[in-house]
Amino acid sequence: MKLLQILLVALGLSLAACSTSRQALPIEPGVAKSLADYRAENISNLEYQLQFDIPKGKEEAIPGQNRMTFDLKSAEQDLQIDFREDGSMIKFVKCNGKLSAYRFESEHIIIPKAELKTGLNEIKIEFITGNTSLNRNDEFLYTLFVPDRARTAFPCFDQPNLKAEFQLNLMVPSDWKAMANGKLQSKTDKADKSFYQFAKTKALPTYLFSFVAGEFETITRDYKGHKHTLYHRETDPEKLAQNTDEIFRLLFESLDWLESYTDMPYPFAKYDLVVIPSFQYGGMEHTGATLYNASKLFLDKNPSQNSILYRANLIAHETAHMWFGDLVTMKWFDQVWLKEVFANFLADKITNPSFPDMNHKLKFQMAHFPSSYGVDRSSGANPINQVLPNLKDAGSVYGAIIYHKSPIVMNMLENITGEEALKKGLQSYIKNYAYGNASWEDLISILDESTASDLKNWSKVWVDQAGRAHISCELISEKGKIKQLNLTQKDVNGADGKWTQDLNVVLGYQGENQIIEIKMDGPNIALDAATGLDVPDYIIPNGKGNAYGFFELDEQSKSYLLANIGQIKDDLVRGIAWINLYENLREGQISGRDFILSIEKHLPAEQNKLILERMLAYLKSAYWLDLTKDERHELGKKLEESLWLRLSTDKDMSRKSSLYAALANIAETTDRLEQLYRVWKDETPIGGFSLSETKATALACNLAIKMPEKAEELVQTQIDRIQNPDHKKRLLFVAPALSADPQVREAFFNSLKQAENREIERWVLDALSYLNHPIREQEALAHLPQELELLKEIQITGDIFFPAGWLSASYSGLQSKEAGDITRQFLEERPDYPENLKLKILQAADQVLKK
């Protein structure tokens, strides 16, 4: 023993460290990182053979079986198998051929170590399937297991860095169809049931395992020797005819581009699409069984430019995940952004050729910067890289930072390495870690080999640090000439900023621009190249969009841009100027009234669709959040007239769609509401623009809130009009939130406190937004404490975007200091409130916390 001690000391180790693996791992709810690390080190060659017997009635139990086989490196620990359901749902467990003396504790089936052996082990479990993530409807169900929800349905090792091959068998009602990750091997009909047997998959993490069953129609296309099937429930033949070919075209275009870019063929057996009504997300990248939101793929006639762009990017995004996320998976969900950054970054590259007339730099700005700023300007800002001790909290890491700031940072990385070097680095990354797991640090190590810059230190600032630089200008002039022009960057606390980035400072003169390129690599930078130039009308420090931060506009620039922004000829500079104006509004540097008047002034002449849609989005936000009721009354009629006039005269149907949506959103005057009511009744046309069923339903809901005397007629008539049964069920669900009777609304709100009434999350968020409409602010204030109180439960019972969506809907109609006071009191009374949820509250409540 003394000799061993001497050797260990010489190696810088200790007996205590040597015996760590022998210490019993704690048993706690969720999937702790320490447990996941131990299992990833100790378990290999994992396979699941799963079977589910699905009845027709959604309230009936689903019997399940799981045969798990794996190699065990060490049998010194009890084995923890994750199952986040009641222990009574476990019917029996066999370990290596014998009934197990297992115990159930803290969401885990514990297999005694005495029953295990080094090498090959087999565990058989019969159970009742948990319903939490099965999304059961009357006529279909679909699984959604990201990030740690597989354990809510069946016993498994629910962690991303323990991939397994899955073989699935399904029994479903005979009039249903079924599909899954693997190819269908056989289908056998037995009386009122059909038995589906699917081929074994490649290695997948549990969050990507998926199956769908129900009453679906199918459309199949052949492409390069492979069949691709789209499963759907759309009942409108015109909508199918308008969209199906384009959906497949976008899919095939994405597959071809990614195979070329990655230098690797599509890495899985098949790619089928399932289009789900009221799906929680835009899409979910299950290999072979990718789910999409029906409203995002099946667009109405005359869709807006944003809708067309969103669909193209969505299909490209989910397809990129097949390589980035599915083939190579992050090791832990603290780096879930790693798969999302590649998907978003590459989706932009994929879709660009489909829109040859579009300014793609402007598109990138509009797609990512406003959403990312929405979080980074708040006191709840989080870094791209986040801390995640337990997978049960993984849902809280999702948000605009991982979806929108990370592509901005990736774009910066590409500018540092060069486009070709980044491409080669990603190809090496894919080949090195195929069907396995990798981290951001693994990629940085690959890129560092061919890059002169210190990427590791660059990453510490941009990936590991929260917030954004606050950059301001100081101009000293003499006789109309610039004597000195300085840029200063601070962090949120007023300390010197440490961000390093390239800036293209635009000096604007009567619509013409002069650009000065500088590297902002310190807290203060002097622009010597500006000395002696004429004093400009305006200064935009990030004029070409390479830089990220809050760019505080000087008084001269603010005044000039508010009055004359439409004179800027360069679309990119003009679009960035609008983003900067809005951020200055949000930071209290511009009044809501001045901002709205500027939009109203420049709206008639704006022809760029991307900028127009951004202006209209800002108009809707600022109208409800930055104007008092009196200001809305003063400015509303003029705004409505401007929107109606342009809507009636504009020849472009995409722009008409955007203008109509903005008009319907802000309309409050009696005359305009009556006019929109007649439009809904098909009595008044709008210059050739017709309402689809979707738009008519949205208008009916909007008018029901603003015209309570007609609420019952609007809602009931629209329910009767709707042909699609899924759409009809959605409106029936939200109808109480649209009622003119406050007691009906209150009863409906109280019903949302029960988890079973929150199962279809998209419907719940729509209804909550109706309840909390700005017109109903006093009612919304009364709901707010209860909505905050429910947040912990919402995280436990809901999917990944539900907590943030719940908060967004809760604060959507609030602009008063009272809402900020309620929020502050809630957090002050709970000093130990979970940090991840606290940040979500601070992000959602940013507007009212600044009151």
Side-chain angles (χ1 to χ4, degrees):
M1 178 61 72
K2 286 184 178 181
L3 179 59
L4 176 59
Q5 286 177 312
I6 291 169
L7 289 171
L8 287 170
V9 171
L11 292 171
L13 302 172
S14 69
L15 284 174
C18 189
S19 63
T20 299
S21 65
R22 296 187 180 91
Q23 296 173 359
L25 287 165
I27 301 169
E28 56 185 299
V31 182
K33 191 170 188 303
S34 56
L35 171 64
D37 289 343
Y38 173 80
R39 293 192 305 205
E41 174 65 25
N42 207 35
I43 295 171
S44 60
N45 300 319
L46 176 61
E47 294 185 17
Y48 296 104
Q49 187 180 79
L50 288 156
Q51 181 165 315
F52 301 95
D53 186 352
I54 301 172
K56 191 147 193 171
K58 70 176 185 178
E59 305 301 331
E60 297 179 55
I62 299 178
Q65 300 176 29
N66 187 7
R67 176 180 174 268
M68 309 165 60
T69 61
F70 51 89
D71 288 331
L72 204 56
K73 186 176 178 181
S74 167
E76 295 179 347
Q77 291 265 3
D78 292 346
L79 184 67
Q80 298 186 35
I81 301 173
D82 312 324
F83 189 54
R84 205 194 85 183
E85 291 293 342
D86 193 275
S88 63
M89 297 170 70
I90 304 296
K91 297 309 176 186
F92 80 77
V93 180
K94 280 187 177 181
C95 181
N96 293 320
K98 298 179 181 179
L99 279 175
S100 173
Y102 76 94
R103 68 186 191 277
F104 188 82
E105 185 178 340
S106 297
E107 303 177 354
H108 298 283
I109 300 168
I110 313 298
I111 308 296
K113 60 186 177 183
E115 299 177 5
L116 303 168
K117 59 185 179 181
T118 56
L120 181 64
N121 287 260
E122 178 189 79
I123 296 176
K124 291 183 178 179
I125 306 174
E126 285 195 8
F127 56 94
I128 298 299
T129 308
N131 280 320
T132 302
S133 300
L134 293 188
N135 298 281
R136 299 180 72 176
N137 294 264
D138 291 331
E139 297 167 344
F140 65 97
L141 66 78
Y142 60 93
T143 63
L144 193 56
F145 293 148
V146 62
D148 68 326
R149 305 263 170 181
R151 65 193 178 98
T152 69
F154 62 94
C156 60
F157 302 119
D158 205 1
Q159 57 190 81
N161 59 342
L162 198 47
K163 288 186 167 183
E165 295 177 342
F166 289 84
Q167 195 278 311
L168 173 66
N169 300 320
L170 286 180
M171 291 281 288
V172 303
S174 58
D175 58 343
W176 284 21
K177 292 182 175 72
M179 60 94 68
N181 304 102
K183 279 188 172 181
L184 179 63
Q185 282 191 321
S186 65
K187 174 179 176 283
T188 307
D189 294 324
K190 298 179 180 179
D192 61 345
K193 288 276 192 174
S194 295
F195 180 74
Y196 286 76
Q197 186 173 30
F198 297 95
K200 186 186 294 185
T201 69
K202 297 281 191 180
L204 295 174
T206 45
Y207 81 87
L208 289 176
F209 170 66
S210 179
F211 59 87
V212 179
E215 296 180 14
F216 287 90
E217 300 299 323
T218 59
I219 303 170
T220 299
R221 295 281 191 273
D222 291 320
Y223 188 70
K224 294 185 176 180
H226 299 282
K227 289 186 181 296
H228 301 269
T229 299
L230 184 152
Y231 294 73
H232 70 90
R233 290 176 52 80
E234 181 54 60
T235 59
D236 184 345
E238 185 178 356
K239 186 172 281 190
L240 284 171
Q242 289 168 357
N243 290 283
T244 301
D245 288 345
E246 181 65 5
I247 290 168
F248 279 111
R249 186 192 73 79
L250 291 167
L251 171 62
F252 301 151
E253 177 182 83
S254 298
L255 286 168
D256 287 346
W257 191 95
L258 283 155
E259 287 185 336
S260 174
Y261 186 87
T262 62
D263 193 31
M264 179 176 286
Y266 178 70
F268 298 100
K270 69 184 179 82
Y271 191 140
D272 291 337
L273 307 84
V274 189
V275 185
I276 304 288
S278 298
F279 186 53
Q280 293 96 313
Y281 320 150
M284 180 59 208
E285 68 270 16
H286 305 127
T287 57
T290 302
L291 306 187
Y292 286 96
N293 185 311
S295 67
K296 305 303 182 184
L297 258 58
F298 294 132
L299 304 183
D300 286 336
K301 189 177 179 180
N302 304 319
S304 69
Q305 180 84 341
N306 265 358
S307 297
I308 296 169
L309 274 172
Y310 183 92
R311 177 174 65 183
N313 270 78
L314 174 62
I315 292 173
H317 176 107
E318 302 306 337
T319 307
H321 271 314
M322 301 302 135
W323 285 263
F324 297 95
D326 296 8
L327 178 63
V328 180
T329 306
M330 67 280 161
K331 294 177 179 177
W332 192 240
F333 267 88
D334 57 352
Q335 289 195 347
V336 65
W337 68 273
L338 187 58
K339 72 184 182 76
E340 300 304 337
V341 67
F342 291 136
N344 261 355
F345 178 70
L346 295 176
D348 288 329
K349 289 179 175 290
I350 294 167
T351 57
N352 286 356
S354 295
F355 301 88
D357 298 329
M358 182 171 291
N359 184 325
H360 293 294
K361 286 187 176 180
L362 177 62
K363 172 194 163 191
F364 188 83
Q365 283 283 321
M366 296 304 177
H368 299 300
F369 282 75
S371 295
S372 183
Y373 286 161
V375 174
D376 255 351
R377 80 169 80 96
S378 76
S379 56
N382 59 270
I384 295 174
N385 253 349
Q386 299 178 63
V387 177
L388 185 66
N390 194 304
L391 208 58
K392 66 183 175 65
D393 298 320
S396 64
V397 305
Y398 285 81
I401 294 300
I402 70 168
Y403 281 99
H404 295 291
K405 187 174 183 178
S406 63
I408 295 168
V409 172
M410 182 61 74
N411 192 53
M412 292 179 180
L413 178 62
E414 186 180 56
N415 289 336
I416 294 171
T417 64
E419 190 172 351
E420 190 62 25
L422 179 61
K423 177 180 174 180
K424 294 296 184 186
L426 290 176
Q427 289 175 351
S428 296
Y429 171 85
I430 285 290
K431 289 180 173 65
N432 290 350
Y433 298 103
Y435 303 106
N437 300 83
S439 68
W440 170 251
E441 290 74 23
D442 293 324
L443 175 61
I444 290 297
S445 293
I446 291 171
L447 295 173
D448 253 339
E449 294 177 3
S450 58
T451 305
S453 300
D454 186 347
L455 294 180
K456 291 180 181 177
N457 280 330
W458 169 85
S459 179
K460 286 179 182 177
V461 174
W462 284 102
V463 176
D464 297 335
Q465 181 176 312
R468 59 181 182 173
H470 180 149
I471 296 176
S472 57
C473 298
E474 181 191 21
L475 187 150
I476 301 173
S477 64
E478 188 175 77
K479 297 180 180 179
K481 299 290 184 180
I482 297 175
K483 184 177 181 181
Q484 192 172 351
L485 180 59
N486 298 322
L487 293 182
T488 300
Q489 67 168 333
K490 303 287 185 182
D491 66 16
V492 69
N493 298 313
D496 290 344
K498 298 179 180 179
W499 293 269
T500 298
Q501 55 184 326
D502 296 324
L503 268 66
N504 292 275
V505 181
V506 168
L507 307 181
Y509 301 90
Q510 297 297 312
E512 299 296 330
N513 299 325
Q514 182 154 341
I515 299 172
I516 300 174
E517 297 181 2
I518 64 159
K519 180 175 287 293
M520 192 80 189
D521 56 2
N524 297 283
I525 299 292
L527 277 69
D528 294 333
T531 302
L533 296 177
D534 290 339
V535 173
D537 296 320
Y538 58 89
I539 301 172
I540 302 177
N542 60 328
K544 288 297 182 181
N546 294 335
Y548 181 90
F550 169 55
F551 300 93
E552 182 178 352
L553 298 171
D554 62 87
E555 291 301 322
Q556 165 65 19
S557 296
K558 280 188 292 190
S559 298
Y560 183 88
L561 290 172
L562 286 169
N564 305 289
I565 190 171
Q567 295 180 14
I568 300 176
K569 297 175 184 178
D570 187 316
D571 286 350
L572 178 61
V573 176
R574 191 169 70 258
I576 291 168
W578 272 116
I579 294 174
N580 284 350
L581 283 173
Y582 184 76
E583 290 305 307
N584 277 260
L585 166 69
R586 292 273 68 84
E587 296 286 358
Q589 304 297 316
I590 295 174
S591 74
R593 187 178 189 281
D594 288 346
F595 184 80
I596 289 288
L597 285 172
S598 180
I599 288 184
E600 193 274 332
K601 176 180 179 180
H602 299 294
L603 189 65
E606 184 56 65
Q607 296 301 307
N608 185 287
K609 293 180 183 179
L610 292 172
I611 297 176
L612 177 64
E613 296 221 15
R614 177 51 47 192
M615 290 170 65
L616 294 172
Y618 284 159
L619 170 64
K620 290 183 285 187
S621 170
Y623 181 83
W624 293 110
L625 297 180
D626 297 289
L627 297 182
T628 64
K629 187 174 182 179
D630 288 342
E631 286 174 329
R632 292 206 311 267
H633 185 265
E634 174 196 352
L635 302 177
K637 185 175 182 180
K638 188 177 181 182
L639 281 170
E640 292 171 11
E641 288 173 353
S642 294
L643 288 166
W644 181 268
L645 178 62
R646 177 149 186 196
L647 173 60
S648 301
T649 57
D650 202 306
K651 303 302 181 186
D652 184 276
M653 287 299 176
S654 174
R655 285 197 294 263
K656 278 182 179 288
S657 183
S658 301
L659 290 159
Y660 160 77
L663 175 63
N665 178 275
I666 70 162
E668 286 191 276
T669 64
T670 301
D671 290 347
R672 193 65 59 191
L673 291 175
E674 286 290 344
Q675 194 171 34
L676 287 171
Y677 173 71
R678 292 194 298 274
V679 168
W680 173 77
K681 293 185 74 174
D682 292 328
E683 295 176 357
T684 300
I686 318 177
F689 181 79
S690 59
L691 295 185
S692 64
E693 180 188 278
T694 303
K695 286 185 172 65
T697 302
L699 181 57
C701 295
N702 190 4
L703 293 177
I705 295 170
K706 297 174 181 178
M707 305 175 78
E709 72 282 0
K710 289 184 167 62
E712 184 176 351
E713 175 204 350
L714 284 156
V715 174
Q716 188 57 55
T717 302
Q718 192 60 34
I719 289 171
D720 294 339
R721 285 179 177 180
I722 295 173
Q723 299 300 311
N724 185 297
D726 296 315
H727 299 172
K728 191 183 289 284
K729 288 176 184 176
R730 180 260 178 196
L731 187 51
L732 283 166
F733 177 85
V734 303
L738 300 166
S739 172
D741 186 340
Q743 291 183 334
V744 172
R745 299 198 298 270
E746 189 65 21
F748 177 74
F749 174 75
N750 288 328
S751 75
L752 298 181
K753 298 174 184 177
Q754 306 302 316
E756 60 267 24
N757 295 323
R758 302 193 301 263
E759 289 181 354
I760 303 181
E761 294 173 3
R762 184 64 264 164
W763 295 359
V764 172
L765 296 181
D766 288 344
L768 199 61
S769 295
Y770 296 146
L771 289 173
N772 295 329
H773 190 279
I775 288 176
R776 298 170 168 173
E777 184 172 15
Q778 289 306 308
E779 195 170 312
L781 284 169
H783 292 156
L784 185 59
Q786 301 166 77
E787 289 161 343
L788 292 171
E789 192 64 46
L790 278 168
L791 186 59
K792 281 186 181 180
E793 182 182 332
I794 292 291
Q795 185 187 24
I796 293 170
T797 60
D799 283 301
I800 52 178
F801 298 118
F802 199 32
W806 177 268
L807 287 169
S808 178
S810 299
Y811 283 95
S812 60
L814 300 176
Q815 61 170 318
S816 66
K817 181 179 180 297
E818 186 178 350
D821 291 340
I822 291 170
T823 307
R824 278 183 284 269
Q825 181 179 349
F826 178 85
L827 293 174
E828 287 168 2
E829 291 175 351
R830 295 162 180 81
D832 298 324
Y833 197 73
E835 184 67 16
N836 58 325
L837 292 181
K838 179 181 177 181
L839 291 178
K840 294 295 182 190
I841 293 172
L842 293 173
Q843 292 165 18
D846 182 59
Q847 171 77 8
V848 294
L849 288 172
K850 290 176 177 175
K851 296 288 184 179

